[in-house]
Amino acid sequence: METASTTILAALPDDQRAALQRLRKAIRTAAPQAEECISYRLPAFRLEGRLLVAFGATAKHCGFYPISGTAVDAHREELQGYATSKGCIRFQPDRPLSAALVRKLVKYRIAENAERA
């Protein structure tokens, strides 16, 4: 099925597209009920009406956006070696985030959103 996320990913170079497709699959595994959407011009996932995470690519790196500064801080030790900012984890296509770490970050965001609800 063609989605807006699929269209965005199709426009990327092969290495970035492959890395982000793996990231997308890990997100889907962690949050199978989440729906795909576009937010801030990025492929994203929403759960129960609340933005969960987003991802994308620039010319120099791929990015995973947990849409939460606390998610990055809470996993700072596991994110050593990756460039981070308050709400972004940057990585190179040949050194992607592990599926286990992505699932952990997504589960953290699910719990965080549930607390705020």
Side-chain angles (χ1 to χ4, degrees):
M1 180 171 93
E2 188 76 13
T3 66
S5 295
T6 304
T7 303
I8 290 171
L9 292 176
L12 297 174
D14 292 345
D15 61 339
Q16 288 183 327
R17 182 175 50 254
L20 292 179
Q21 285 173 330
R22 285 189 300 273
L23 178 65
R24 182 184 187 190
K25 182 178 178 183
I27 295 166
R28 168 85 41 226
T29 298
Q33 304 84 7
E35 62 180 318
E36 288 192 56
C37 63
I38 300 296
S39 182
Y40 301 101
R41 296 185 183 167
L42 294 170
F45 283 85
R46 181 181 326 230
L47 184 63
E48 297 175 2
R50 298 181 142 237
L51 199 54
L52 194 58
V53 296
F55 58 95
T58 68
K60 297 185 180 195
H61 63 265
C62 293
F64 177 61
Y65 306 92
I67 319 293
S68 162
T70 61
V72 172
D73 284 343
H75 298 88
R76 179 100 23 225
E77 191 171 305
E78 294 165 284
L79 292 169
Q80 286 183 11
Y82 293 101
T84 61
S85 62
K86 184 176 181 180
C88 178
I89 303 159
R90 290 175 292 283
F91 62 93
Q92 294 303 313
D94 63 349
R95 191 169 175 270
L97 299 170
S98 73
L101 179 55
V102 172
R103 284 191 301 269
K104 189 181 260 191
L105 288 160
V106 171
K107 295 291 187 185
Y108 180 93
R109 287 291 296 128
I110 292 169
E112 188 174 53
N113 278 354
E115 275 183 33
R116 291 181 181 167

